Amino acid sequence: MKTLAEKILAAHCIAGELKAGMPIEIKIDQTLTQDATGTMAYLQFEAMGCERVKTECSVSYVDHNTLQNDFENADDHQYLRTVADRYGILFSRPGNGICHQVQLERFDKPGKTLLGSDSHTPTAGAMGMIAIGAGGLDVACAMAGMPFSLTMPKIVNVRLIHRLPHGVGAKDIILKVLSLMSVKGGVGKILEYTGEGLLDLSVPERSTICNMGAELGATTSLFPSDENTREFLTKQGRAADFIELKPDADAVYDEVIEIDCAALKPLVACPHSPDLVKPVEELAGLKVDQVAIGSCTNSSFTDLLEVARILKGKTIHPEVSLVISFGSKQVLRMLSRCGALDDLIAAGARVLEATCGPCIGMGQSPQSNGVSLRTFNRNFYGRSGTLSAGIYLVSPATAAASAIAGVLCSAETIDYAKPEMPDAYLIDDTMLIQPSCDPAVEIKRGPNIKPYPAKAPLAETIEAQVMIKVGDNITTDHIMPAGAKILPYRSNIEKISEFCYSQIDPQFHDRCLQYGGGWIIAGENYGQGSSREHAALAPMYLKIQAVIAKSYARIHRQNLINAGIVPLVFERPDDYERIAMLDTLALDCGKLAEGQPLTITDAKGFSFTVQHHCTARELEILRAGGLLNLIKNKNQKTEA
Ligand code: MIC
Ligand code: SF4
């Protein structure tokens, strides 16, 4: 009676009971990092004093910071290349593609576990593996051979029935799930897909669905490993990696959702949240200024071939700018060989490199008040680089049809053949560098690489002022924005902290310096979105000591703990209303104990109760002033 998630977790469980809500520890087989989170992860890994990585396979990708306006990004690439060579990590060079796409093509294996310092790591769930996003420090620990700690999630069964109609794609399935569950509906859950509808979905299509499970806040999403998986692996020259995996026929799930694919219409997620989903026909006719196709959600060979088939022989609307970024070098070469790249260029597409590009605000910001249709996964406020722009998330077919029409419309009435999986994928691993693992390798640190900031152990009491009060669903893009101006400072916490909260409260940084840090007060689902630990490290650097929120997104809560910032939860959500900016709040940290509520006093003359929900291990991390301190303390004890 086991679900597939339970089977894979049971095979990797090192400690704890696989019962929803209980703390468990699992063995991690594979890790991935990308350049925007990787530099910190490897600095932390180096600080752990290991001779080499202890995983079956660890890959370091360069895909985010590839606009090289100055020395910073190139410095990071050089550090990443040399540190990978030294410690046994495969290095995927810039140009080889977006981490999740390349990982799917070349490394994902059914039945394995993967931990990645990027929130879309669950993309690999398409291959029947448990793939989880985490902060860089957790990934560094996994590379050092430590197990990954998590709370056993609930398992939700999403049953797909019937075939998708023409012009409706995998993206529409996940947008439908988002409309049903919302951006916080997946917190503490694994989504396991079953049903006859999945037989029609190829591994790349499944990866679109798993990818955007991150937008639900889910721990991960998962498909069985079946004949479609065998086909994909065989065509990638990796038939030997295939094993069949599925849930038991009588598996018991905590929740069941059924989606009738045949009844689905093309959908669009409206600004500024991936769950503000409407049917395309409801917004049909909306004038479009930009169309951006690509990202780890929709940049597979078949996705882009579908776009090429819709655009073939046509010219995009004169008032639309169409940009395309490719998932990988494999995708780009295959499109080039079959002539589809020419169809895209002929139609007027502006061809970008195989990286994240506009998805993370690295160029191609839309015009003021512009409407940008994107096949990406996030449309958070400001992420595109233009605060006044509205970003709408759609499928590649809808994006292509709209690029021609100049207004939002679906591809349902366009006559084109949906691409099948190719007979074979083009295998070319020349941009993956095998590490030497030689201790004599010189690790090169340009001036952009600054050390991980130090943090003192938890103080006996926290008595400080409220530095910011924010509402519900605050994303890590609000806390620590990305984009071409800020992303290059990911290896320099002092510098990047200047931009903390800059898009919604430009005074935040200076206020923290003026008052010596303090508290953050927040609403529901605090820290949703990315895995960037910079959204915890920058506040930590600015001496934020604790956050009180109504609830948290999983990865951000863990990153706060790893950074030594106490994540507290209002026992009565109404208390949120009573607290104002600059109130002085006091907490006796000596009272932090497992399962015990805490009392906070507000100098205005009232007190209220908060919970911390921390496990014994998490409390140990907080007391040490963060996970790295705890590891160093333990190492010192063993050496002594
Ligand atoms: C994102 O899509 O927000 C990112 C950039 O890939 C992040 C990681 C980061 O901030 O570096 C993610 O999703 O975790
Ligand atoms: Fe890159 Fe965008 Fe995917 Fe993040 S969501 S990994 S920025 S393509």
Side-chain angles (χ1 to χ4, degrees), residues 527-603:
Q528 68 157 328
S530 141
S531 68
R532 62 189 73 152
E533 58 191 340
H534 302 76
L537 294 180
M540 178 255 256
Y541 182 80
L542 295 173
K543 300 206 164 37
I544 293 296
Q545 301 183 62
V547 180
I548 315 176
K550 291 184 188 168
S551 66
Y552 293 86
R554 175 186 62 86
I555 308 179
H556 186 59
R557 176 179 176 278
Q558 198 58 53
N559 284 340
L560 287 172
I561 293 174
N562 289 352
I565 299 178
V566 190
L568 301 166
V569 180
F570 287 105
E571 186 169 77
R572 288 181 51 249
D574 290 352
D575 287 329
Y576 168 89
E577 307 298 339
R578 302 163 76 191
I579 304 168
M581 273 289 283
L582 296 182
D583 276 9
T584 301
L585 305 181
L587 167 71
D588 178 355
C589 298
K591 298 229 162 71
L592 258 179
E594 224 182 320
Q596 296 301 309
L598 295 161
T599 304
I600 309 256
T601 46
D602 186 314

Side-chain angles (χ1 to χ4, degrees), residues 34 36-37 64 100 117-120 356 359-360 377-378 383 476-477 482 487 490 529-532 534:
Q34 38 88 340
T37 55
H64 283 63
H100 309 301
S117 62
D118 191 282
S119 61
H120 291 104
C356 302
C359 178
I360 191 60
N377 46 39
R378 291 189 171 145
R383 186 174 161 102
T476 50
D477 280 87
L487 217 48
R490 282 292 181 89
S530 141
S531 68
R532 62 189 73 152
H534 302 76

